[in-house]
């Protein structure tokens, strides 16, 4: 039997056994295409699979405080995080930083598990050079994680690369000071025609879009922001001279979430013939599936998840060797 973040059993007719979407969890309308989904440990998780199935990608957002109870009470937290992230967690001496780290990993595991129709304990998160997370054995599912303030956001795509980035919506940007390091000549000319307040807003939007795009490319800050641009009104990817730099394979969007953050997404459609079924049984690499099948403990194993209500050991406040 699968359980929620607090160890409670899931309703038998819940379609998402990973993080648990109790029937009473939400009455929210299902988000439209591209609209980020606000998720808690209890869900809603069905829209994540709906978005992946219908649109090829999904973006979720939340706050680390909303996930703190799960980080504190989740049974067998060590097993859920995995050896690598558990060791990293134990080395973090600042309690606030440590709990935010745990919350972000729970968000990543629960969301991916919801998309793959599996349990979060069965997923192994690893990291590429530069720190970009990925799921071992599920190369077709691309991930991008971002956080700022109390916001956490995660993008998932099954048909190409994805990048997400967020900033506080009230952050003031100085286009006159930033033009040399982030704007193409076309962007600078468009910004100059705007009122001062609108200049700041559009500069912040451009910043998050450029961060999201470079994350999707896996380049981070290695790709200079002046080497590409965006149309302020069209949102299209442009060369520095203002000519189109892509056709329809790249799509971009910016949304205001939690009434106080801008969240931008960059998504590449690789044109793959992807299966609409995103469950683990269809997306998992066959060789890795065989290894996982033989390495997971049987149901009666003492390492299996504990009975409802059993609490995870408290995270200690001092660091330990890995």
């Amino acid at each position: 039997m699968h359980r929620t973040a607090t160890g409670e059993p899931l309703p038998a007719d819940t379609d998402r056994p990973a993080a648990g979407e109790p029937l009473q969890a939400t009455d929210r309308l299902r988000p439209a295409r591209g609209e980020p989904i606000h998720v808690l440990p209890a869900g809603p998780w069905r829209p994540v699979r709906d978005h992946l199935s219908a649109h090829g990608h999904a973006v979720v957002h939340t706050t680390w405080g909303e996930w703190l109870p799960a980080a504190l009470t989740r049974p067998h937290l060590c097993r859920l995080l995995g050896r690598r992230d558990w060791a990293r967690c134990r080395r973090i001496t600042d309690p606030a930083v440590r709990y935010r780290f745990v919350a972000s990993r729970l968000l990543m595991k629960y969301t991916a598990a919801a998309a793959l129709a599996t349990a979060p304990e069965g997923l192994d998160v690893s990291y590429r050079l530069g720190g970009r997370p990925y799921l071992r054995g599920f190369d077709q599912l691309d991930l991008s994680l971002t956080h700022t303030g109390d916001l956490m956001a995660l993008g998932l795509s099954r048909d190409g690369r994805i990048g997400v980035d967020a900033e506080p919506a009230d952050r003031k940007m100085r286009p006159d000071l930033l033009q040399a390091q982030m704007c193409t000549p076309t962007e600078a000319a468009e910004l100059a025609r705007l009122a001062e307040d609108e200049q700041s807003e559009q500069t912040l939007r451009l910043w998050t879009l450029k961060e999201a795009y470079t994350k999707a490319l896996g380049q981070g800050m290695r790709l200079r922001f002046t080497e590409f641009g965006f149309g302020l009104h069209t949102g299209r990817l442009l060369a520095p001279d203002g000519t189109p730099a892509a056709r329809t394979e790249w799509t971009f969007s910016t949304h205001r979430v939690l009434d106080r953050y801008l969240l931008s997404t960059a998504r590449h459609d690789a044109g793959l013939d992807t299966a609409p079924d995103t469950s683990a049984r269809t997306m998992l690499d066959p060789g890795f599936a065989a290894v996982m099948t033989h390495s997971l403990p049987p149901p009666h194993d003492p390492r299996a998840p504990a009975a409802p209500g059993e609490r995870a050991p408290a995270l200690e406040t001092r660091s330990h060797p890995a």
Side-chain angles (χ1 to χ4, degrees), residues 6-85:
T6 56
E8 296 301 317
L10 293 174
D13 55 352
T14 296
D15 77 331
R16 188 61 283 110
E21 182 187 350
L23 299 182
Q24 73 279 12
T26 180
D27 293 321
R28 298 188 187 101
L29 294 175
R30 292 191 177 183
R33 177 173 183 171
E35 184 178 343
I37 305 163
H38 186 187
V39 295
L40 306 178
W45 296 112
R46 190 170 300 152
V48 174
R49 291 203 72 197
D50 289 346
H51 275 208
L52 278 169
S53 177
H55 314 309
H57 72 286
V59 178
V60 301
H61 69 91
T62 188
T63 65
W64 76 274
E66 290 173 310
W67 284 70
L68 183 58
L72 292 172
T73 64
R74 182 60 166 83
H76 296 270
L77 183 62
C78 174
R79 181 183 175 192
L80 178 61
L81 290 180
R83 183 180 301 121
R84 186 182 299 102
D85 279 342

Side-chain angles (χ1 to χ4, degrees), residues 1 3 7 74-76 79 301-311:
M1 176 181 290
R3 304 182 185 282
R74 182 60 166 83
H76 296 270
R79 181 183 175 192
D301 191 283
R303 293 175 295 168
E310 179 176 343
R311 298 173 63 89

Side-chain angles (χ1 to χ4, degrees), residues 200-216:
S200 178
E201 293 174 5
Q202 290 296 329
T203 301
L204 181 62
R205 173 172 166 267
L206 287 175
W207 183 274
T208 59
L209 284 170
K210 294 193 175 196
E211 286 276 13
Y213 178 58
T214 56
K215 288 179 180 179

